[in-house]
Amino acid sequence: MARTDTPNRIRGTQDIVGEDERRFARVVDAFDHVRRLYCFDRLELPVFEATAVFARSLGETTDVVSKEMYTFDDRGGDSVTLRPEFTAGIARAFITNGWQQHAPMKLATHGPVFRYERPQKGRYRQFHQIDAEIIGAAEPAADVELLTLADQLLNELGIAEGVTLQLNTLGDPHSREGWRLALIEHFANHQLDLSEESRVRLETNPLRILDSKSPQDQQIVAEAPGIDEFLTRFSRDYFEAVTGGLDAAGVAWTRNARLVRGLDYYRHTAFEFVTDRLGAQGTVIAGGRYDGLIESLGGNPTPGVGWAAGIERLAMLLDEPAAKSVDAVVVPLGEAAATRAQGILAQLRRAGLAVDMAFKGNMKKRMAKADALRARYAVILGDDEIASGEAGVKNLATGEQQPVALDALAETLSAA
Ligand code: ATP
Ligand code: MG
């Protein structure tokens, strides 16, 4: 029992172990596998940045910047922020390091991100994202490649069924501005019926009203104009190239003409992979094209497109992953055997086998540990066995036991 003055875990953070950790690791492993197939380079970034990196690229009126960031002054008096997402930091790194010469760059990363939100299932204050970005490619083929990567990841995780790709375009700045004005007019006409939060958004960030989760707003949102009639010829062609590419790649999608992304920097393609299996936390992967971002941070105009996914949300969708797999458990009986077992353990592990030792309690307890670890074999080592230079190798699935020479153990267990 913890004493009452023992510090607690911070609200909204997690200690991840056991089954949850195996799910988490499976998501990360699958992502790392797939990003290699798509020739994305791995990138490691700082966990915190100058506050301006996020404030300027995400926009002051977004939820993330206005109420979710962990921002503080460091001991030198500089304002720093724990990253609430990856894209802005990647854009900053692109500018800082002068990576234009390498463009287009295909980059992948994962790690913790921080947002001050109300914690609930699938929503944490420190959570984890996988993230994939293509910087310096303006072609719709880049959007298609990223979406196909996401689709393949969901398939490799075995969770594609029940997850839908919702796709929209926000057009170029001209299209988006026309749509924005039409939305302002529509929402202003219904101002008195809107939720309080949406009335505030009407002044600050009217597109975001489309994102409202308030039941009061749903009817008004459903009747809001879609973007189609405001799309320029160029924007329309761009979107058709994306959807045509997805069809060619065999990636299923549905159109959601009212989908917007919370952040200001999106252009053209915007998308979310959503499921109804996680309640209100149903968005598992989200992203889009952010051609205006790098310029807004002071870099040369550079197009970009990317997505991020919550590792915890993907992990919750997985079937229970297989328990850890252990090749063998060494069970020494007696002191001489315990010492000898150290050598055998080292030898088996050096040979590439996953091996643990059961050295506590009576024989029954030790064999129970071998079962609990779901080991394939128990290697039983007593005084008799040491004298004869053999161990008893028990196949835990069949219960069969046979003697195996100590120096042939690695070979026998590897072959089996
Ligand atoms: P939501 O609408 O659920 O708040 P968002 O639009 O804020 O999501 P993004 O900024 O697009 O989310 O982040 C990408 C992904 O990160 C989300 O689709 C989700 O899977 C995950 N995510 C976002 N916020 C959290 C959180 N607080 N806890 C766990 N996962 C999160
Ligand atoms: Mg959010």
Side-chain angles (χ1 to χ4, degrees):
M1 264 296 270
R3 291 171 21 176
T4 50
D5 62 350
T6 304
N8 282 320
R9 187 177 61 213
I10 300 272
R11 202 162 119 78
T13 65
Q14 317 166 75
D15 304 311
I16 308 172
V17 73
E19 152 87 24
D20 287 341
E21 203 287 325
R22 287 194 289 277
R23 289 167 174 268
F24 191 103
R26 221 181 114 197
V27 173
V28 174
D29 288 351
F31 177 62
D32 202 54
H33 176 237
V34 176
R35 67 98 186 153
R36 283 172 206 268
L37 300 179
Y38 284 73
C39 308
F40 278 59
D41 287 325
R42 172 83 203 179
L43 164 79
E44 300 295 343
L45 289 168
V47 167
F48 60 107
E49 298 272 357
T51 299
V53 169
F54 305 110
R56 276 171 62 182
S57 48
L58 276 58
E60 299 285 353
T61 61
T62 56
D63 282 355
V64 171
V65 173
S66 63
K67 37 185 199 206
E68 296 175 358
M69 293 206 303
Y70 278 90
T71 298
F72 56 95
D73 289 344
D74 70 10
R75 287 170 190 273
D78 294 323
S79 180
V80 299
T81 294
L82 303 184
R83 65 183 177 207
E85 56 125 54
F86 280 105
T87 312
I90 293 178
R92 193 274 308 146
F94 186 89
I95 300 168
T96 311
N97 300 299
W99 283 338
Q100 293 97 297
Q101 48 177 327
H102 304 304
M105 289 178 90
K106 302 201 284 185
L107 300 168
T109 191
H110 90 274
V113 291
F114 305 84
R115 294 184 192 178
Y116 194 80
E117 297 200 71
R118 196 167 67 78
Q120 51 200 293
K121 192 165 186 284
R123 192 176 294 283
Y124 312 94
R125 290 183 174 174
Q126 175 174 339
F127 61 104
H128 301 79
Q129 285 184 338
I130 50 178
D131 184 281
E133 316 275 347
I134 302 180
I135 302 192
E139 299 79 15
D143 311 40
V144 173
E145 185 173 23
L146 273 164
L147 285 163
T148 311
L149 193 166
D151 178 75
Q152 185 162 344
L153 174 67
L154 294 172
N155 275 291
E156 296 213 355
L157 290 171
I159 58 177
E161 208 169 305
V163 178
T164 315
L165 165 56
Q166 297 201 351
L167 188 65
N168 197 17
T169 176
L170 305 176
D172 50 26
H174 187 77
S175 319
R176 187 172 155 149
E177 186 54 20
W179 188 36
R180 202 178 72 91
L181 294 175
L183 285 171
I184 291 175
E185 191 184 327
H186 172 77
F187 290 128
N189 287 336
H190 296 86
Q191 190 160 7
L192 297 176
D193 300 320
L194 284 171
S195 68
E196 201 180 315
E197 193 171 16
S198 290
R199 271 193 303 244
V200 174
R201 281 179 175 158
L202 186 53
E203 305 299 322
T204 57
N205 196 347
L207 254 64
R208 285 300 316 278
I209 298 175
L210 294 174
D211 246 0
S212 166
K213 301 197 165 92
S214 156
Q216 193 180 338
D217 295 335
Q218 294 314 305
Q219 181 71 20
I220 305 171
V221 166
E223 288 165 0
I227 192 170
D228 283 6
E229 61 178 292
F230 304 98
L231 289 178
T232 57
R233 181 65 193 268
F234 176 74
S235 297
R236 195 182 311 273
D237 290 348
Y238 196 99
F239 190 54
E240 273 170 20
V242 173
T243 57
L246 291 174
D247 293 342
V251 176
W253 56 277
T254 55
R255 177 75 197 279
N256 177 352
R258 288 180 187 81
L259 184 138
V260 287
R261 301 285 311 135
L263 312 179
D264 283 349
Y265 52 61
Y266 284 98
R267 303 269 184 280
H268 295 292
T269 318
F271 55 86
E272 292 183 349
F273 287 81
V274 296
T275 173
D276 53 18
R277 286 175 55 199
L278 297 177
Q281 276 61 250
T283 306
V284 287
I285 304 179
R289 176 164 282 284
Y290 48 83
D291 292 350
L293 171 62
I294 292 190
E295 211 178 338
S296 77
L297 275 178
N300 295 325
T302 308
V305 55
W307 55 252
I311 296 178
E312 289 87 350
R313 292 190 193 176
L314 291 172
M316 289 192 303
L317 289 178
L318 294 178
D319 286 337
E320 192 179 322
K324 50 189 158 186
S325 79
V326 172
D327 295 308
V329 170
V330 177
V331 183
L333 301 168
E335 246 170 67
T339 306
R340 189 64 197 271
Q342 311 276 357
I344 292 173
L345 273 175
Q347 177 200 335
L348 296 178
R349 288 167 173 166
R350 285 178 192 134
L353 292 158
V355 187
D356 212 343
M357 177 149 74
F359 56 91
K360 278 200 178 132
N362 56 24
M363 181 70 173
K364 199 169 153 212
K365 270 227 163 113
R366 294 178 191 211
M367 294 307 285
K369 170 161 180 184
D371 278 335
L373 284 168
R374 302 212 198 174
R376 290 158 55 229
Y377 292 94
V379 177
I380 299 158
L381 202 64
D383 292 342
D384 294 350
E385 282 82 4
I386 294 176
S388 64
E390 290 178 330
V393 172
K394 182 171 180 182
N395 181 324
L396 293 173
T398 64
E400 263 170 62
Q401 184 168 333
Q402 59 179 51
V404 175
L406 291 179
D407 54 10
L409 271 177
E411 204 183 326
T412 309
L413 295 177
S414 308

